[in-house]
Amino acid sequence: MIYEVVIQHVAPEKRDEYIEVFGDILQKADYAGAHAIKFFTSIEDPSRVILTIEWDSVEAHTQHRGTPTHDAMKEAAARYQTQKSDGAHFHVHQIKN
């Protein structure tokens, strides 16, 4: 498994709506190879949101880029974002359970 980690910025007053709308889009997309999806909201900076998606592999994620479903998802998310997202793929190195 790998993790897609995306740092996003949204208007604080729209943050909860963004998570609800974007989360619903991600669930309905039902991307093959995607598993756990989590949003983290910052306590110190209410405009900051981190999205993590567990994927089978980088390829499992990137195969969806450019599809109509993926493009529609990006357009919907962009309506809420105040800055361009910063994301990458990561391996987890768990230290403690």
Side-chain angles (χ1 to χ4, degrees), residues 10-22 41 80:
V10 299
E13 67 276 6
K14 295 281 191 176
R15 183 179 75 181
D16 291 341
E17 179 183 338
Y18 170 72
I19 291 168
E20 183 178 329
V21 169
F22 195 33
T41 54
Y80 290 90

Side-chain angles (χ1 to χ4, degrees), residues 21 33 35 41-42 44 51-52 54 56 65 71 82 87 89-90:
V21 169
H35 302 285
T41 54
S42 174
E44 293 81 12
L51 165 68
T52 65
E54 184 180 289
D56 289 333
R65 289 182 180 164
D71 291 347
T82 58
H89 299 101
F90 294 86

Side-chain angles (χ1 to χ4, degrees), residues 1-4 31-35 53-57 60-61 64:
M1 289 290 168
I2 61 98
Y3 291 83
E4 175 188 10
Y31 292 120
H35 302 285
I53 304 177
E54 184 180 289
W55 293 95
D56 289 333
S57 64
H61 173 217
H64 302 290

Side-chain angles (χ1 to χ4, degrees), residues 30-43:
D30 195 27
Y31 292 120
H35 302 285
I37 300 171
K38 296 178 183 174
F39 285 96
F40 297 82
T41 54
S42 174
I43 295 166

